[in-house]
Amino acid sequence: MITSKLTSKAQTTIPQPVRAALNLHEGDELEYRLEAGRVILTKRADEAMGDPFRTFEEWHSDADAVAYADL
């Protein structure tokens, strides 16, 4: 059995064996599904995440908004 603790801020660390099994990396999104008193944790599929460029925060500056406003 794999366990982890909940902090006072309702946070937990996903144990390494779970991260490895789901192929999780920094920035990945997770889905939680409640079923009969249990939680099913899965890695959110790429196609479900929408815009693949949303993680490129360096492209979200005011200067970029001005430069690309007419496109």
Side-chain angles (χ1 to χ4, degrees):
M1 176 183 290
I2 302 170
T3 64
S4 65
K5 289 186 178 184
L6 193 65
T7 70
S8 62
K9 294 184 178 185
Q11 297 173 335
T12 189
T13 298
I14 300 171
Q16 192 282 329
V18 175
R19 293 192 315 265
L22 295 177
N23 193 30
L24 294 175
H25 301 283
E26 182 177 335
D28 286 345
E29 292 188 19
L30 305 173
E31 290 183 354
Y32 299 86
R33 188 171 61 243
L34 301 175
E35 292 185 4
R38 295 177 183 244
V39 176
I40 308 298
L41 173 68
T42 55
K43 181 178 179 178
R44 189 166 185 194
D46 289 340
E47 59 273 3
M49 293 193 312
D51 181 8
F53 297 104
R54 66 185 172 75
T55 57
F56 298 122
E57 293 299 323
E58 64 271 19
W59 293 354
H60 291 270
S61 70
D62 291 338
D64 290 324
V66 171
Y68 298 115
D70 294 329
L71 294 180

Short mmCIF file of all heavy atoms in Angstrom, two decimals:
data_model
loop_
_atom_site.label_atom_id
_atom_site.label_comp_id
_atom_site.label_asym_id
_atom_site.label_seq_id
_atom_site.Cartn_x
_atom_site.Cartn_y
_atom_site.Cartn_z
N MET A 1 0.84 -1.18 0.00
CA MET A 1 0.00 0.00 0.00
C MET A 1 0.89 1.25 0.00
O MET A 1 1.88 1.31 0.70
CB MET A 1 -0.91 0.01 1.23
CG MET A 1 -1.73 1.29 1.32
SD MET A 1 -2.75 1.43 2.78
CE MET A 1 -3.95 0.20 2.45
N ILE A 2 0.54 2.21 -0.82
CA ILE A 2 1.27 3.48 -0.91
C ILE A 2 0.45 4.54 -0.20
O ILE A 2 -0.76 4.65 -0.43
CB ILE A 2 1.49 3.87 -2.39
CG1 ILE A 2 2.26 2.78 -3.11
CG2 ILE A 2 2.20 5.20 -2.48
CD1 ILE A 2 2.30 2.95 -4.61
N THR A 3 1.10 5.34 0.65
CA THR A 3 0.38 6.36 1.39
C THR A 3 1.10 7.70 1.31
O THR A 3 2.28 7.77 0.94
CB THR A 3 0.24 5.98 2.89
OG1 THR A 3 1.54 5.92 3.47
CG2 THR A 3 -0.47 4.65 3.06
N SER A 4 0.38 8.77 1.65
CA SER A 4 0.97 10.09 1.82
C SER A 4 0.12 10.84 2.82
O SER A 4 -1.01 10.44 3.12
CB SER A 4 1.05 10.85 0.48
OG SER A 4 -0.24 11.11 -0.02
N LYS A 5 0.67 11.93 3.37
CA LYS A 5 -0.05 12.72 4.38
C LYS A 5 -0.60 13.99 3.76
O LYS A 5 -0.04 14.53 2.81
CB LYS A 5 0.89 13.09 5.53
CG LYS A 5 1.25 11.95 6.42
CD LYS A 5 2.04 12.44 7.61
CE LYS A 5 2.38 11.29 8.54
NZ LYS A 5 3.05 11.77 9.75
N LEU A 6 -1.67 14.47 4.34
CA LEU A 6 -2.28 15.73 3.95
C LEU A 6 -1.76 16.82 4.88
O LEU A 6 -1.77 16.66 6.10
CB LEU A 6 -3.81 15.62 4.06
CG LEU A 6 -4.62 16.72 3.43
CD1 LEU A 6 -4.44 16.71 1.92
CD2 LEU A 6 -6.09 16.54 3.77
N THR A 7 -1.30 17.95 4.30
CA THR A 7 -0.80 19.05 5.12
C THR A 7 -1.96 19.91 5.62
O THR A 7 -3.11 19.73 5.21
CB THR A 7 0.15 19.95 4.31
OG1 THR A 7 -0.61 20.66 3.33
CG2 THR A 7 1.26 19.15 3.64
N SER A 8 -1.64 20.87 6.46
CA SER A 8 -2.66 21.78 6.98
C SER A 8 -3.26 22.64 5.88
O SER A 8 -4.34 23.20 6.04
CB SER A 8 -2.06 22.68 8.07
OG SER A 8 -1.01 23.46 7.51
N LYS A 9 -2.59 22.73 4.73
CA LYS A 9 -3.10 23.50 3.58
C LYS A 9 -3.77 22.58 2.56
O LYS A 9 -3.95 22.95 1.40
CB LYS A 9 -1.97 24.28 2.92
CG LYS A 9 -1.41 25.37 3.81
CD LYS A 9 -0.36 26.17 3.06
CE LYS A 9 0.17 27.28 3.94
NZ LYS A 9 1.10 28.13 3.21
N ALA A 10 -4.13 21.37 2.97
CA ALA A 10 -4.79 20.39 2.12
C ALA A 10 -3.94 19.99 0.91
O ALA A 10 -4.44 19.72 -0.17
CB ALA A 10 -6.17 20.87 1.67
N GLN A 11 -2.63 19.93 1.09
CA GLN A 11 -1.72 19.52 0.02
C GLN A 11 -1.10 18.18 0.38
O GLN A 11 -0.98 17.84 1.55
CB GLN A 11 -0.61 20.56 -0.16
CG GLN A 11 -1.12 21.92 -0.58
CD GLN A 11 -0.02 22.97 -0.59
OE1 GLN A 11 0.98 22.85 0.12
NE2 GLN A 11 -0.22 24.01 -1.37
N THR A 12 -0.68 17.45 -0.62
CA THR A 12 0.02 16.20 -0.41
C THR A 12 1.05 16.03 -1.52
O THR A 12 0.96 16.65 -2.57
CB THR A 12 -0.96 15.00 -0.38
OG1 THR A 12 -0.24 13.84 0.04
CG2 THR A 12 -1.60 14.76 -1.73
N THR A 13 2.02 15.18 -1.28
CA THR A 13 3.00 14.81 -2.30
C THR A 13 2.54 13.51 -2.91
O THR A 13 2.20 12.56 -2.20
CB THR A 13 4.40 14.64 -1.68
OG1 THR A 13 4.79 15.89 -1.11
CG2 THR A 13 5.41 14.18 -2.71
N ILE A 14 2.52 13.47 -4.24
CA ILE A 14 2.17 12.22 -4.91
C ILE A 14 3.41 11.33 -4.84
O ILE A 14 4.47 11.70 -5.33
CB ILE A 14 1.74 12.48 -6.36
CG1 ILE A 14 0.52 13.41 -6.38
CG2 ILE A 14 1.46 11.17 -7.08
CD1 ILE A 14 0.14 13.89 -7.75
N PRO A 15 3.28 10.17 -4.23
CA PRO A 15 4.45 9.29 -4.05
C PRO A 15 5.09 8.91 -5.39
O PRO A 15 4.41 8.80 -6.42
CB PRO A 15 3.86 8.06 -3.36
CG PRO A 15 2.64 8.59 -2.66
CD PRO A 15 2.08 9.62 -3.59
N GLN A 16 6.39 8.70 -5.36
CA GLN A 16 7.16 8.41 -6.57
C GLN A 16 6.62 7.23 -7.36
O GLN A 16 6.53 7.31 -8.58
CB GLN A 16 8.64 8.22 -6.21
CG GLN A 16 9.57 8.21 -7.41
CD GLN A 16 9.58 6.89 -8.17
OE1 GLN A 16 9.38 5.83 -7.58
NE2 GLN A 16 9.78 6.96 -9.47
N PRO A 17 6.22 6.13 -6.73
CA PRO A 17 5.70 5.01 -7.54
C PRO A 17 4.44 5.39 -8.32
O PRO A 17 4.22 4.91 -9.43
CB PRO A 17 5.41 3.92 -6.51
CG PRO A 17 6.28 4.26 -5.34
CD PRO A 17 6.36 5.75 -5.32
N VAL A 18 3.62 6.27 -7.75
CA VAL A 18 2.40 6.72 -8.44
C VAL A 18 2.79 7.65 -9.59
O VAL A 18 2.26 7.53 -10.70
CB VAL A 18 1.44 7.42 -7.46
CG1 VAL A 18 0.23 8.00 -8.20
CG2 VAL A 18 1.00 6.47 -6.36
N ARG A 19 3.74 8.57 -9.35
CA ARG A 19 4.21 9.47 -10.42
C ARG A 19 4.78 8.66 -11.57
O ARG A 19 4.53 8.96 -12.74
CB ARG A 19 5.25 10.45 -9.87
CG ARG A 19 4.70 11.45 -8.88
CD ARG A 19 5.67 12.58 -8.57
NE ARG A 19 7.03 12.18 -8.33
CZ ARG A 19 7.56 11.95 -7.11
NH1 ARG A 19 6.82 12.07 -6.03
NH2 ARG A 19 8.81 11.61 -6.98
N ALA A 20 5.54 7.64 -11.25
CA ALA A 20 6.14 6.79 -12.30
C ALA A 20 5.06 6.03 -13.06
O ALA A 20 5.11 5.96 -14.29
CB ALA A 20 7.15 5.83 -11.68
N ALA A 21 4.09 5.48 -12.36
CA ALA A 21 3.04 4.69 -13.01
C ALA A 21 2.20 5.55 -13.95
O ALA A 21 1.77 5.08 -15.01
CB ALA A 21 2.15 4.04 -11.96
N LEU A 22 1.98 6.81 -13.59
CA LEU A 22 1.19 7.72 -14.42
C LEU A 22 2.04 8.56 -15.36
O LEU A 22 1.52 9.38 -16.10
CB LEU A 22 0.34 8.64 -13.54
CG LEU A 22 -0.75 7.97 -12.70
CD1 LEU A 22 -1.46 8.99 -11.83
CD2 LEU A 22 -1.74 7.25 -13.61
N ASN A 23 3.38 8.37 -15.30
CA ASN A 23 4.31 9.16 -16.10
C ASN A 23 4.08 10.66 -15.88
O ASN A 23 3.95 11.43 -16.83
CB ASN A 23 4.20 8.80 -17.59
CG ASN A 23 5.34 9.36 -18.40
OD1 ASN A 23 6.46 9.53 -17.90
ND2 ASN A 23 5.09 9.66 -19.66
N LEU A 24 4.03 11.07 -14.62
CA LEU A 24 3.77 12.46 -14.26
C LEU A 24 5.06 13.27 -14.21
O LEU A 24 6.09 12.78 -13.76
CB LEU A 24 3.10 12.53 -12.88
CG LEU A 24 1.70 11.94 -12.78
CD1 LEU A 24 1.22 11.99 -11.34
CD2 LEU A 24 0.74 12.68 -13.70
N HIS A 25 4.95 14.51 -14.68
CA HIS A 25 6.07 15.44 -14.65
C HIS A 25 5.55 16.81 -14.21
O HIS A 25 4.34 17.07 -14.25
CB HIS A 25 6.70 15.56 -16.04
CG HIS A 25 7.20 14.25 -16.56
ND1 HIS A 25 8.37 13.67 -16.13
CD2 HIS A 25 6.67 13.37 -17.44
CE1 HIS A 25 8.56 12.52 -16.74
NE2 HIS A 25 7.52 12.31 -17.54
N GLU A 26 6.46 17.68 -13.82
CA GLU A 26 6.09 19.02 -13.39
C GLU A 26 5.21 19.69 -14.44
O GLU A 26 5.51 19.65 -15.63
CB GLU A 26 7.35 19.86 -13.17
CG GLU A 26 7.05 21.25 -12.66
CD GLU A 26 8.31 22.04 -12.39
OE1 GLU A 26 9.37 21.43 -12.14
OE2 GLU A 26 8.24 23.28 -12.43
N GLY A 27 4.12 20.26 -14.00
CA GLY A 27 3.21 20.96 -14.90
C GLY A 27 2.07 20.10 -15.43
O GLY A 27 1.12 20.62 -16.00
N ASP A 28 2.16 18.78 -15.26
CA ASP A 28 1.07 17.91 -15.71
C ASP A 28 -0.19 18.21 -14.91
O ASP A 28 -0.12 18.59 -13.73
CB ASP A 28 1.44 16.43 -15.54
CG ASP A 28 2.43 15.95 -16.56
OD1 ASP A 28 2.63 16.64 -17.57
OD2 ASP A 28 3.02 14.87 -16.34
N GLU A 29 -1.33 18.02 -15.54
CA GLU A 29 -2.60 18.21 -14.86
C GLU A 29 -3.19 16.85 -14.51
O GLU A 29 -2.98 15.87 -15.22
CB GLU A 29 -3.57 18.99 -15.75
CG GLU A 29 -3.12 20.42 -15.94
CD GLU A 29 -4.15 21.27 -16.65
OE1 GLU A 29 -5.35 20.88 -16.67
OE2 GLU A 29 -3.77 22.32 -17.17
N LEU A 30 -3.89 16.83 -13.38
CA LEU A 30 -4.50 15.60 -12.89
C LEU A 30 -6.01 15.72 -12.90
O LEU A 30 -6.55 16.81 -12.79
CB LEU A 30 -4.03 15.32 -11.45
CG LEU A 30 -2.53 15.27 -11.24
CD1 LEU A 30 -2.20 15.16 -9.77
CD2 LEU A 30 -1.92 14.12 -12.01
N GLU A 31 -6.67 14.58 -13.03
CA GLU A 31 -8.12 14.53 -12.93
C GLU A 31 -8.48 13.66 -11.74
O GLU A 31 -7.85 12.62 -11.50
CB GLU A 31 -8.73 13.93 -14.20
CG GLU A 31 -8.63 14.80 -15.40
CD GLU A 31 -9.31 14.21 -16.64
OE1 GLU A 31 -9.75 13.04 -16.58
OE2 GLU A 31 -9.37 14.91 -17.64
N TYR A 32 -9.49 14.10 -11.00
CA TYR A 32 -10.00 13.34 -9.86
C TYR A 32 -11.44 12.96 -10.18
O TYR A 32 -12.25 13.81 -10.52
CB TYR A 32 -9.98 14.20 -8.59
CG TYR A 32 -8.59 14.65 -8.20
CD1 TYR A 32 -8.04 15.81 -8.74
CD2 TYR A 32 -7.84 13.93 -7.28
CE1 TYR A 32 -6.77 16.23 -8.37
CE2 TYR A 32 -6.58 14.35 -6.91
CZ TYR A 32 -6.05 15.50 -7.46
OH TYR A 32 -4.81 15.92 -7.11
N ARG A 33 -11.76 11.69 -10.06
CA ARG A 33 -13.12 11.23 -10.28
C ARG A 33 -13.58 10.50 -9.02
O ARG A 33 -12.88 9.61 -8.51
CB ARG A 33 -13.17 10.29 -11.49
CG ARG A 33 -14.56 9.91 -11.92
CD ARG A 33 -14.59 9.17 -13.25
NE ARG A 33 -13.85 7.90 -13.21
CZ ARG A 33 -12.78 7.62 -13.94
NH1 ARG A 33 -12.28 8.51 -14.78
NH2 ARG A 33 -12.18 6.46 -13.84
N LEU A 34 -14.74 10.89 -8.50
CA LEU A 34 -15.29 10.27 -7.30
C LEU A 34 -16.21 9.13 -7.72
O LEU A 34 -17.14 9.33 -8.51
CB LEU A 34 -16.06 11.29 -6.49
CG LEU A 34 -15.26 12.51 -6.02
CD1 LEU A 34 -16.17 13.51 -5.33
CD2 LEU A 34 -14.14 12.08 -5.09
N GLU A 35 -15.96 7.95 -7.17
CA GLU A 35 -16.77 6.77 -7.48
C GLU A 35 -16.96 5.95 -6.21
O GLU A 35 -16.00 5.40 -5.69
CB GLU A 35 -16.12 5.92 -8.56
CG GLU A 35 -16.08 6.55 -9.93
CD GLU A 35 -15.54 5.61 -11.00
OE1 GLU A 35 -15.25 4.44 -10.69
OE2 GLU A 35 -15.40 6.07 -12.14
N ALA A 36 -18.19 5.89 -5.76
CA ALA A 36 -18.55 5.03 -4.63
C ALA A 36 -17.62 5.21 -3.43
O ALA A 36 -17.10 4.25 -2.87
CB ALA A 36 -18.59 3.57 -5.07
N GLY A 37 -17.39 6.46 -3.03
CA GLY A 37 -16.56 6.73 -1.87
C GLY A 37 -15.07 6.61 -2.09
O GLY A 37 -14.28 6.64 -1.15
N ARG A 38 -14.65 6.48 -3.34
CA ARG A 38 -13.23 6.39 -3.69
C ARG A 38 -12.89 7.49 -4.67
O ARG A 38 -13.75 8.01 -5.36
CB ARG A 38 -12.91 5.03 -4.32
CG ARG A 38 -13.09 3.88 -3.38
CD ARG A 38 -12.83 2.58 -4.11
NE ARG A 38 -13.07 1.46 -3.24
CZ ARG A 38 -12.14 0.61 -2.86
NH1 ARG A 38 -10.91 0.74 -3.29
NH2 ARG A 38 -12.43 -0.38 -2.05
N VAL A 39 -11.61 7.78 -4.76
CA VAL A 39 -11.13 8.77 -5.73
C VAL A 39 -10.25 8.06 -6.74
O VAL A 39 -9.33 7.34 -6.38
CB VAL A 39 -10.32 9.89 -5.03
CG1 VAL A 39 -9.76 10.86 -6.06
CG2 VAL A 39 -11.18 10.61 -4.01
N ILE A 40 -10.55 8.30 -8.00
CA ILE A 40 -9.73 7.76 -9.09
C ILE A 40 -8.88 8.91 -9.61
O ILE A 40 -9.39 9.92 -10.06
CB ILE A 40 -10.61 7.21 -10.24
CG1 ILE A 40 -11.67 6.23 -9.72
CG2 ILE A 40 -9.73 6.60 -11.33
CD1 ILE A 40 -11.10 5.01 -9.06
N LEU A 41 -7.57 8.77 -9.50
CA LEU A 41 -6.62 9.80 -9.92
C LEU A 41 -6.01 9.39 -11.25
O LEU A 41 -5.47 8.28 -11.37
CB LEU A 41 -5.52 9.95 -8.87
CG LEU A 41 -4.35 10.88 -9.21
CD1 LEU A 41 -4.83 12.32 -9.26
CD2 LEU A 41 -3.23 10.72 -8.21
N THR A 42 -6.10 10.26 -12.25
CA THR A 42 -5.51 9.99 -13.55
C THR A 42 -4.79 11.23 -14.06
O THR A 42 -5.10 12.35 -13.66
CB THR A 42 -6.57 9.57 -14.60
OG1 THR A 42 -7.56 10.57 -14.67
CG2 THR A 42 -7.21 8.24 -14.24
N LYS A 43 -3.83 11.00 -14.95
CA LYS A 43 -3.17 12.11 -15.63
C LYS A 43 -4.13 12.62 -16.69
O LYS A 43 -4.70 11.84 -17.45
CB LYS A 43 -1.88 11.62 -16.27
CG LYS A 43 -1.09 12.69 -16.99
CD LYS A 43 0.19 12.09 -17.55
CE LYS A 43 1.01 13.08 -18.31
NZ LYS A 43 2.27 12.51 -18.80
N ARG A 44 -4.32 13.92 -16.74
CA ARG A 44 -5.22 14.50 -17.73
C ARG A 44 -4.61 14.33 -19.12
O ARG A 44 -3.44 14.63 -19.34
CB ARG A 44 -5.46 15.96 -17.43
CG ARG A 44 -6.54 16.55 -18.28
CD ARG A 44 -6.98 17.87 -17.73
NE ARG A 44 -8.10 18.35 -18.52
CZ ARG A 44 -8.54 19.56 -18.48
NH1 ARG A 44 -8.00 20.43 -17.66
NH2 ARG A 44 -9.55 19.93 -19.22
N ALA A 45 -5.41 13.85 -20.05
CA ALA A 45 -4.93 13.62 -21.41
C ALA A 45 -4.62 14.94 -22.09
O ALA A 45 -5.30 15.94 -21.87
CB ALA A 45 -5.99 12.85 -22.20
N ASP A 46 -3.60 14.96 -22.93
CA ASP A 46 -3.18 16.18 -23.62
C ASP A 46 -4.31 16.81 -24.41
O ASP A 46 -4.50 18.02 -24.38
CB ASP A 46 -2.00 15.90 -24.56
CG ASP A 46 -0.72 15.63 -23.81
OD1 ASP A 46 -0.62 16.01 -22.64
OD2 ASP A 46 0.18 15.03 -24.41
N GLU A 47 -5.11 16.00 -25.11
CA GLU A 47 -6.18 16.56 -25.92
C GLU A 47 -7.27 17.19 -25.06
O GLU A 47 -7.99 18.07 -25.51
CB GLU A 47 -6.79 15.53 -26.87
CG GLU A 47 -7.38 14.31 -26.20
CD GLU A 47 -6.38 13.20 -25.96
OE1 GLU A 47 -5.20 13.36 -26.26
OE2 GLU A 47 -6.80 12.16 -25.44
N ALA A 48 -7.37 16.79 -23.81
CA ALA A 48 -8.38 17.36 -22.91
C ALA A 48 -7.93 18.70 -22.35
O ALA A 48 -8.72 19.44 -21.79
CB ALA A 48 -8.67 16.40 -21.77
N MET A 49 -6.65 19.03 -22.50
CA MET A 49 -6.13 20.25 -21.90
C MET A 49 -6.29 21.46 -22.79
O MET A 49 -5.95 22.56 -22.38
CB MET A 49 -4.66 20.05 -21.51
CG MET A 49 -4.51 19.05 -20.40
SD MET A 49 -2.92 18.98 -19.60
CE MET A 49 -1.75 18.93 -20.88
N GLY A 50 -6.78 21.30 -24.00
CA GLY A 50 -7.02 22.46 -24.85
C GLY A 50 -5.77 22.97 -25.52
O GLY A 50 -5.01 22.21 -26.11
N ASP A 51 -5.54 24.26 -25.44
CA ASP A 51 -4.44 24.94 -26.12
C ASP A 51 -3.08 24.42 -25.64
O ASP A 51 -2.72 24.62 -24.49
CB ASP A 51 -4.55 26.44 -25.88
CG ASP A 51 -3.47 27.24 -26.57
OD1 ASP A 51 -2.69 26.66 -27.36
OD2 ASP A 51 -3.39 28.46 -26.32
N PRO A 52 -2.30 23.77 -26.50
CA PRO A 52 -1.01 23.24 -26.07
C PRO A 52 0.02 24.33 -25.79
O PRO A 52 1.03 24.07 -25.17
CB PRO A 52 -0.57 22.37 -27.25
CG PRO A 52 -1.26 22.98 -28.42
CD PRO A 52 -2.57 23.49 -27.90
N PHE A 53 -0.24 25.56 -26.22
CA PHE A 53 0.72 26.64 -26.03
C PHE A 53 0.44 27.45 -24.76
O PHE A 53 1.13 28.39 -24.45
CB PHE A 53 0.73 27.58 -27.24
CG PHE A 53 1.18 26.87 -28.49
CD1 PHE A 53 0.26 26.50 -29.45
CD2 PHE A 53 2.51 26.56 -28.68
CE1 PHE A 53 0.66 25.83 -30.58
CE2 PHE A 53 2.92 25.89 -29.82
CZ PHE A 53 1.99 25.52 -30.78
N ARG A 54 -0.58 27.07 -23.98
CA ARG A 54 -0.94 27.84 -22.80
C ARG A 54 0.14 27.80 -21.72
O ARG A 54 0.19 28.66 -20.87
CB ARG A 54 -2.27 27.36 -22.22
CG ARG A 54 -2.22 25.98 -21.68
CD ARG A 54 -3.61 25.55 -21.24
NE ARG A 54 -3.60 24.17 -20.89
CZ ARG A 54 -3.08 23.69 -19.77
NH1 ARG A 54 -2.56 24.51 -18.88
NH2 ARG A 54 -3.08 22.41 -19.53
N THR A 55 1.04 26.82 -21.80
CA THR A 55 2.10 26.72 -20.80
C THR A 55 3.28 27.64 -21.11
O THR A 55 4.15 27.80 -20.28
CB THR A 55 2.62 25.28 -20.68
OG1 THR A 55 3.08 24.85 -21.96
CG2 THR A 55 1.54 24.36 -20.19
N PHE A 56 3.31 28.25 -22.30
CA PHE A 56 4.41 29.14 -22.66
C PHE A 56 4.11 30.55 -22.17
O PHE A 56 3.74 31.44 -22.92
CB PHE A 56 4.63 29.14 -24.18
CG PHE A 56 5.02 27.78 -24.72
CD1 PHE A 56 4.26 27.16 -25.68
CD2 PHE A 56 6.15 27.13 -24.25
CE1 PHE A 56 4.61 25.91 -26.18
CE2 PHE A 56 6.52 25.90 -24.73
CZ PHE A 56 5.74 25.28 -25.71
N GLU A 57 4.28 30.75 -20.88
CA GLU A 57 3.95 32.02 -20.25
C GLU A 57 4.77 33.18 -20.82
O GLU A 57 4.33 34.32 -20.79
CB GLU A 57 4.15 31.94 -18.74
CG GLU A 57 3.15 31.02 -18.05
CD GLU A 57 1.70 31.46 -18.24
OE1 GLU A 57 1.44 32.67 -18.24
OE2 GLU A 57 0.84 30.57 -18.38
N GLU A 58 5.95 32.89 -21.36
CA GLU A 58 6.78 33.97 -21.91
C GLU A 58 6.12 34.61 -23.14
O GLU A 58 6.53 35.67 -23.58
CB GLU A 58 8.18 33.47 -22.25
CG GLU A 58 8.25 32.42 -23.33
CD GLU A 58 8.13 30.98 -22.82
OE1 GLU A 58 7.66 30.77 -21.70
OE2 GLU A 58 8.54 30.08 -23.57
N TRP A 59 5.09 33.98 -23.68
CA TRP A 59 4.38 34.54 -24.84
C TRP A 59 3.13 35.32 -24.43
O TRP A 59 2.31 35.65 -25.27
CB TRP A 59 3.98 33.44 -25.80
CG TRP A 59 5.14 32.76 -26.47
CD1 TRP A 59 6.46 33.10 -26.39
CD2 TRP A 59 5.07 31.62 -27.30
NE1 TRP A 59 7.22 32.24 -27.12
CE2 TRP A 59 6.40 31.31 -27.69
CE3 TRP A 59 4.04 30.82 -27.75
CZ2 TRP A 59 6.70 30.25 -28.52
CZ3 TRP A 59 4.35 29.75 -28.57
CH2 TRP A 59 5.66 29.47 -28.95
N HIS A 60 3.00 35.61 -23.15
CA HIS A 60 1.80 36.26 -22.66
C HIS A 60 2.10 37.64 -22.08
O HIS A 60 1.42 38.09 -21.17
CB HIS A 60 1.11 35.39 -21.61
CG HIS A 60 0.52 34.14 -22.19
ND1 HIS A 60 -0.76 34.08 -22.66
CD2 HIS A 60 1.04 32.92 -22.40
CE1 HIS A 60 -1.00 32.88 -23.12
NE2 HIS A 60 0.08 32.16 -22.99
N SER A 61 3.09 38.31 -22.59
CA SER A 61 3.43 39.64 -22.07
C SER A 61 2.57 40.71 -22.77
O SER A 61 1.95 40.47 -23.82
CB SER A 61 4.91 39.94 -22.31
OG SER A 61 5.15 40.14 -23.68
N ASP A 62 2.56 41.90 -22.20
CA ASP A 62 1.84 43.02 -22.82
C ASP A 62 2.43 43.35 -24.19
O ASP A 62 1.70 43.70 -25.13
CB ASP A 62 1.89 44.25 -21.91
CG ASP A 62 1.06 44.06 -20.65
OD1 ASP A 62 0.15 43.21 -20.66
OD2 ASP A 62 1.33 44.76 -19.65
N ALA A 63 3.76 43.24 -24.30
CA ALA A 63 4.41 43.52 -25.57
C ALA A 63 3.94 42.54 -26.66
O ALA A 63 3.72 42.93 -27.81
CB ALA A 63 5.92 43.45 -25.43
N ASP A 64 3.77 41.28 -26.29
CA ASP A 64 3.27 40.30 -27.25
C ASP A 64 1.84 40.61 -27.66
O ASP A 64 1.48 40.48 -28.82
CB ASP A 64 3.33 38.89 -26.67
CG ASP A 64 4.76 38.39 -26.53
OD1 ASP A 64 5.59 38.72 -27.39
OD2 ASP A 64 5.04 37.66 -25.57
N ALA A 65 1.02 41.00 -26.72
CA ALA A 65 -0.37 41.34 -27.02
C ALA A 65 -0.44 42.47 -28.04
O ALA A 65 -1.23 42.44 -28.98
CB ALA A 65 -1.11 41.71 -25.74
N VAL A 66 0.43 43.48 -27.89
CA VAL A 66 0.47 44.59 -28.82
C VAL A 66 1.00 44.14 -30.18
O VAL A 66 0.42 44.45 -31.23
CB VAL A 66 1.34 45.74 -28.26
CG1 VAL A 66 1.58 46.81 -29.31
CG2 VAL A 66 0.68 46.34 -27.02
N ALA A 67 2.08 43.36 -30.17
CA ALA A 67 2.71 42.93 -31.41
C ALA A 67 1.81 42.04 -32.26
O ALA A 67 1.83 42.11 -33.48
CB ALA A 67 4.02 42.19 -31.09
N TYR A 68 0.99 41.21 -31.60
CA TYR A 68 0.16 40.27 -32.34
C TYR A 68 -1.31 40.67 -32.40
O TYR A 68 -2.14 39.88 -32.84
CB TYR A 68 0.29 38.88 -31.70
CG TYR A 68 1.71 38.35 -31.77
CD1 TYR A 68 2.45 38.13 -30.61
CD2 TYR A 68 2.32 38.09 -32.99
CE1 TYR A 68 3.75 37.65 -30.67
CE2 TYR A 68 3.60 37.61 -33.05
CZ TYR A 68 4.33 37.39 -31.90
OH TYR A 68 5.61 36.93 -31.95
N ALA A 69 -1.63 41.86 -31.99
CA ALA A 69 -3.03 42.30 -31.92
C ALA A 69 -3.72 42.28 -33.28
O ALA A 69 -4.93 42.03 -33.35
CB ALA A 69 -3.10 43.69 -31.31
N ASP A 70 -3.01 42.54 -34.37
CA ASP A 70 -3.63 42.63 -35.68
C ASP A 70 -3.65 41.31 -36.45
O ASP A 70 -4.10 41.26 -37.59
CB ASP A 70 -2.89 43.68 -36.54
CG ASP A 70 -3.06 45.07 -35.98
OD1 ASP A 70 -4.12 45.34 -35.37
OD2 ASP A 70 -2.13 45.88 -36.14
N LEU A 71 -3.18 40.24 -35.83
CA LEU A 71 -3.16 38.94 -36.53
C LEU A 71 -4.51 38.28 -36.52
O LEU A 71 -5.31 38.37 -35.70
CB LEU A 71 -2.13 38.01 -35.89
CG LEU A 71 -0.69 38.48 -36.04
CD1 LEU A 71 0.25 37.48 -35.37
CD2 LEU A 71 -0.31 38.61 -37.50
#
